[in-house]
Amino acid sequence: MASLFGETIKVSIFGESHGAAIGVLVDGLPAGEVVDPEELARFMARRAPGQGAHTTSRKEADAVRVLSGLTAGKTNGAPLAAIIENTNTRSGDYQGLMDTPRPGHADYPAAVKYGGHNDISGGGHFSGRLTAPLCIAGGIALQILARRGIRVGAHIATIHGVQDHAIDPVHPDMDALAAAAGRRLATLSEEAGEAMLAEIAAAAAAGDSVGGIIECVATGLPVGLGDPMMDGVENCIARNVFGIPAIRGIEFGAGFAAAEMTGSTHNDPYYMKDGTVRTATNHAGGVLGGITTGMPLLFRVAVKPTPSIAKEQDSVSLLRGEDAKLSVHGRHDPCIVPRAVPCIEAAAAITLLDLLNKGV
């Protein structure tokens, strides 16, 4: 499995949802960087399960145990290895899924690809649980980026049609995004968050699930990050974001709306401000030709509804070679979007730190 990414900073994620532990190995971090464990724990808590009726009832502390790479609280130049022990597994909930795969989940293609040897419990290595190690790497990257004047933040843009306020693409309020991160749902509008919680509750009551859109922005980036054609900023971010389970699409700046615009309206006019080139609008999302422009980097991702639902669905019995019905039992998020917000921030942060280390 290719659970390895990065060029100057290489990140390798390992483990299974119901294995003894999950973890990450990060090679290439600059030496001498302070890693604040309390700040990292706060970041990890945003992704952790068991935070209320809108998330899975599985309880995991997600306590990070660093095995190597830190000396006296600072990176020491060696690979940083960290694990999270799994403490609340119920593998029996997944018996039968090897025979009757879940629609919308990787059960069937994984069984074919790995000859039935894949770990089905909790989704194995395909589980959203594997975003916890990603958040370890990303949480550390966020701390390093902040000391370089680069901030990354995200919020829930929509859940099942309920919309939050949009981020200002030219002058994003990063403090407002930081405040949103401390709410039950990471929304700029508390009213929108409450309406989203109602949508999630309604789906859960019906044995169903809902998806949504997450909007992410990074500020303070220099001009010139990214290498066309295949190592552009959008390429690198998209590759790592799509490593997060349940992501179905990504767009930068105006995104797909650009297809309905004219060149004169989509182009971002340049002007000078305090000796620096800026743009009056930011339809490009801070990237042109795969290279950062110095404007805020803005992108949105679509998150699908959780495939594990209690509502009866059509499937097949692989052993009997016939159609079958499936109702998924166990502990699952009726909406994965709230817990995916820090994961998007993490993927963006580790990607940007990797690009920053390559230089402009």
Side-chain angles (χ1 to χ4, degrees):
M1 289 186 179
S3 300
L4 172 70
F5 63 92
E7 187 172 336
T8 65
I9 298 177
K10 297 184 183 298
V11 179
S12 179
I13 294 172
F14 60 87
E16 294 86 33
S17 178
H18 286 200
I22 51 178
V24 64
L25 180 68
V26 188
D27 194 4
L29 287 172
E33 294 286 351
V34 175
V35 176
D36 183 339
E38 293 183 359
E39 184 176 345
L40 180 60
R42 285 192 294 270
F43 182 70
M44 297 296 298
R46 293 172 53 199
R47 194 224 66 92
Q51 299 185 46
H54 63 286
T55 70
T56 172
S57 60
R58 179 177 177 178
K59 294 285 188 179
E60 293 284 0
D62 280 0
V64 177
R65 180 184 170 197
V66 177
L67 304 179
S68 66
L70 291 182
T71 299
K74 295 182 180 180
T75 55
N76 59 22
L80 187 147
I83 63 169
I84 296 172
E85 294 182 0
N86 290 323
T87 61
N88 188 13
T89 60
R90 285 192 345 207
S91 299
D93 290 343
Y94 297 86
Q95 290 180 357
L97 292 182
M98 189 65 81
D99 174 49
T100 310
R102 289 168 286 184
H105 204 283
D107 298 341
Y108 170 66
V112 173
K113 182 174 181 64
Y114 299 110
H117 298 292
N118 56 298
D119 183 2
I120 201 72
S121 298
H125 193 68
F126 295 91
S127 171
R129 179 115 184 93
L130 273 297
T131 58
L134 172 67
C135 283
I136 297 175
I140 293 170
L142 284 167
Q143 294 185 31
I144 297 173
L145 289 174
R147 288 193 285 271
R148 287 157 171 73
I150 297 170
R151 299 180 69 181
V152 179
H155 74 121
I156 302 171
T158 69
I159 284 182
H160 203 225
V162 178
Q163 296 187 354
D164 188 23
H165 300 323
I167 294 174
D168 185 331
V170 178
H171 302 291
D173 188 339
M174 302 306 290
D175 291 335
L177 284 173
R183 300 188 179 117
R184 277 205 297 170
L185 293 193
T187 55
L188 299 172
S189 163
E190 294 188 61
E191 293 78 10
E194 291 302 317
M196 291 176 184
L197 284 170
E199 287 292 321
I200 296 172
D208 217 331
S209 62
V210 290
I213 295 172
I214 296 170
E215 189 174 40
C216 184
V217 65
T219 60
L221 294 170
V223 180
L225 293 182
D227 291 301
M229 294 171 52
M230 300 306 175
D231 285 330
V233 173
E234 301 109 310
N235 309 53
C236 297
I237 287 179
R239 173 183 170 85
N240 295 341
V241 163
F242 274 111
I244 299 170
I247 302 302
R248 302 309 302 157
I250 187 168
E251 63 177 8
F252 290 81
F256 282 94
E260 305 301 323
M261 301 170 73
T262 62
S264 60
T265 54
H266 182 265
N267 291 345
D268 298 314
Y270 289 116
Y271 72 99
M272 296 298 299
K273 181 179 181 181
D274 301 327
T276 302
V277 177
R278 305 289 291 174
T279 62
T281 55
N282 192 19
H283 297 124
V287 186
L288 289 170
I291 304 170
T292 52
T293 65
M295 293 296 290
L297 173 69
L298 180 69
F299 67 92
R300 287 170 293 276
V301 298
V303 185
K304 73 179 183 181
T306 315
S308 297
I309 58 175
K311 181 174 286 188
E312 189 176 75
Q313 302 177 83
D314 291 328
S315 185
V316 294
S317 168
L318 299 177
L319 293 176
R320 299 192 304 272
E322 61 186 31
D323 294 342
K325 297 291 185 179
L326 175 67
S327 178
V328 179
H329 303 287
R331 303 165 296 176
H332 306 283
D333 294 82
C335 181
I336 201 67
V337 178
R339 294 173 58 213
V341 173
C343 304
I344 298 300
E345 293 177 8
I350 196 68
T351 305
L352 292 174
L353 184 59
D354 188 26
L355 289 168
L356 200 68
N357 279 4
K358 289 176 64 177
V360 297

